Amino acid sequence: TVLNIKSCGKPKFLARLKEEIPSEAYSPPEELGRELWGIKFRTPVMNSAGMFKNGECYEMVARQGAGAYLGGTGTWNSRKGNERDGIYLPFVPYPRSYSASNWLGLPNDGDEANSDRAAQMERIEGTPVGWSIMGSPDFQGEEKLQNLVNGMSLYEQAGVDFLEINE
């Protein structure tokens, strides 16, 4: 089915994309720069949460001139993601609107692994690192909130410049 082809194609696309690091870095015009929360962004454009769940492709994004890099959305615990009727990470685009629906289920390696990756990133000047996080649907109530706060603390310790809370 089309849904199955689209869903299995995304990981293959991302694997190939990771190899596409530009040999020369692009420097956007200075007038595109912004400063928010005391953080300098080269441009107001960055990747969306979910594109690089586990810290992939920072160098590629930075060398393309992005204003920032956004990892995640991550959760306290690692998550495999959704599978239904033999389709792993269901995703399908709509041909007329160019929008899409997905039911991915927040696949990610968890906050501990991803904050470690964020700490190891060799930063490129002008491309701050942010991370999208959320309370894991595997927990409820006080435990969910405490795990979210613990994850935020890990990213702060890792030197992440800003957090986006996806709720």
Side-chain angles (χ1 to χ4, degrees):
T1 68
V2 170
L3 178 61
N4 198 15
I5 291 168
K6 295 285 186 181
S7 298
C8 73
K10 184 178 179 193
K12 292 175 185 175
F13 167 77
L14 286 176
R16 188 160 178 205
L17 181 66
K18 290 175 192 178
E19 300 170 8
E20 300 287 331
I21 298 173
S23 58
E24 292 186 33
Y26 170 72
S27 294
E30 286 186 33
E31 62 267 16
L32 294 178
R34 302 288 189 272
E35 186 171 330
L36 302 165
W37 319 292
I39 303 168
K40 293 184 180 182
F41 298 83
R42 290 190 290 181
T43 72
V45 177
M46 70 178 91
N47 62 283
S48 62
M51 186 72 186
F52 306 117
K53 290 283 195 182
N54 298 303
E56 309 92 341
C57 300
Y58 171 79
E59 182 182 5
M60 177 197 66
V61 167
R63 291 178 68 81
Q64 288 177 340
Y69 171 89
L70 187 61
T73 297
T75 56
W76 177 250
N77 56 315
S78 64
R79 293 178 50 84
K80 179 181 179 253
N82 290 333
E83 182 173 346
R84 185 164 185 146
D85 298 329
I87 299 171
Y88 178 58
L89 305 178
F91 164 86
V92 64
Y94 301 115
R96 291 193 179 134
S97 68
Y98 301 105
S99 60
S101 289
N102 68 61
W103 186 61
L104 304 182
L106 300 165
N108 75 94
D109 292 341
D111 291 337
E112 186 173 354
N114 284 326
S115 63
D116 285 344
R117 287 188 187 110
Q120 300 302 314
M121 287 179 175
E122 289 189 37
R123 305 289 183 89
I124 295 174
E125 187 176 342
T127 309
V129 173
W131 217 275
S132 174
I133 62 172
M134 74 173 289
S136 174
D138 297 324
F139 302 101
Q140 299 300 315
E142 193 68 31
E143 182 180 28
K144 181 177 187 171
L145 290 175
Q146 188 58 57
N147 288 339
L148 176 62
V149 170
N150 291 342
M152 293 166 71
S153 179
L154 289 175
Y155 290 106
E156 179 183 28
Q157 292 168 28
V160 166
D161 298 296
F162 64 96
L163 294 173
E164 176 217 48
I165 299 178
N166 181 350
E167 287 295 333

